Amino acid sequence: MHLPLWTALSGVPSAVDVPDITPDWDAPFISGLISIGSFILAGALIVVLIMLIIAFVGVVTKGGGSERFQSWSGEWILKILAVAAGLGAVNAIFAFAVGFDFGF
């Protein structure tokens, strides 16, 4: 086998056999943590979506309602959209990695 000069001189192996690594989810507290995380992420997403609906109603109904509510919804709708997108991404990663478990 022909090795590059720097590899042959430094003693660094050119090929390493890495065994397959599988996570062990059998720890007794893991199922509880997954269940708590599922409830927290789902509850936060529901709260943010409710805030988004309220802000969207404030932007759409410019003809009626208080001016303060309309200005609040105009200022915060993009921030709420960004938080909803970020929280949705975190939920997707959590669901892909471990899966939601609500204990039902």
Side-chain angles (χ1 to χ4, degrees):
M1 176 161 85
H2 179 347
L3 296 174
L5 182 60
W6 67 272
T7 306
L9 294 177
S10 65
V12 176
S14 61
V16 177
D17 293 330
V18 178
D20 291 336
I21 299 172
T22 56
D24 184 16
W25 301 104
D26 294 337
F29 60 89
I30 292 293
S31 62
L33 288 178
I34 291 173
S35 185
I36 290 170
S38 299
F39 277 112
I40 290 173
L41 286 173
L45 189 61
I46 289 171
V47 167
V48 169
L49 289 177
I50 289 171
M51 288 175 56
L52 186 62
I53 291 170
I54 291 171
F56 185 72
V57 167
V59 168
V60 170
T61 59
K62 287 286 187 185
S66 69
E67 185 176 334
R68 184 174 181 188
F69 174 65
Q70 292 172 357
S71 68
W72 174 88
S73 60
E75 294 171 4
W76 281 89
I77 194 162
L78 289 178
K79 295 174 187 174
I80 296 171
L81 275 171
V83 169
L87 196 55
V90 170
N91 275 324
I93 291 170
F94 184 83
F96 178 75
V98 261
F100 285 110
D101 180 20
F102 296 108
F104 299 138

